[in-house]
Structures are given as structure tokens and as C-alpha cells.
Amino acid sequence: MGPWAGQVAGYYADTVPWMHERLPAFIGHDFNIDWSPRPGWEGMPNPIHIAVLNWMGINIVECLDLERAVEQARRTSSTNS
């Protein structure tokens, strides 16, 4: 369907089967995984939360500072090499 033209990004509905196949311990995001309304999911508030937490038991970590995580990973890898 192309890139999302709204103000926030997040997991799209087609990622739900992908997550179900892999069943990771957790998923993360640098903002909020859900927003409403979500195109194609009208009337279902927080569809990713419902699918991931309730249906699959995958934990969600939100509002991650991914830039800081990358900096820490680079520091850690340079001191371990």
C-alpha cells in the first residue's frame, strides 16, 4: 500500500502473521505501537496490542530510545573487541 502518510509510523496489520510465525519474546518501537484510527482496522482500538499481547502473548516495549541503544551497542562492541 506504500508508505504511511500520517504523522506517526507503527506496525502494519501484515506484520501480525509474521510475528505469529516467529513468536519473539518481545517487540519494541520508538513510539507507540498503536494509534487510532488505523486504516483497515476501523472500530478496533489498539489492534496490534490486542493481537500481540492477548492473542500471542508477546510482550511490548514502547518509547524506546533507539539512538541511545545504538550508541551503547557501539561502545560495548568496541570495548569487547
Side-chain angles (χ1 to χ4, degrees):
M1 296 181 68
W4 170 248
Q7 295 180 352
V8 292
Y11 292 91
Y12 195 70
D14 62 0
T15 61
V16 172
W18 184 91
M19 286 185 264
H20 186 260
E21 290 172 9
R22 289 157 181 82
L23 292 176
F26 71 92
I27 59 170
H29 197 274
D30 62 351
F31 190 64
N32 184 350
I33 286 174
D34 274 308
W35 72 90
S36 293
R38 180 179 293 271
W41 293 63
E42 289 83 2
M44 182 180 208
N46 302 320
I48 301 298
H49 275 86
I50 291 168
V52 171
L53 281 171
N54 296 353
W55 299 344
M56 291 182 260
I58 299 171
N59 294 297
I60 297 174
V61 182
E62 293 181 315
C63 301
L64 297 169
D65 186 343
L66 298 175
E67 286 84 9
R68 187 163 180 201
V70 168
E71 291 170 8
Q72 181 63 37
R74 286 182 177 146
R75 277 194 300 275
T76 302
S77 69
S78 67
T79 59
N80 289 333
S81 46

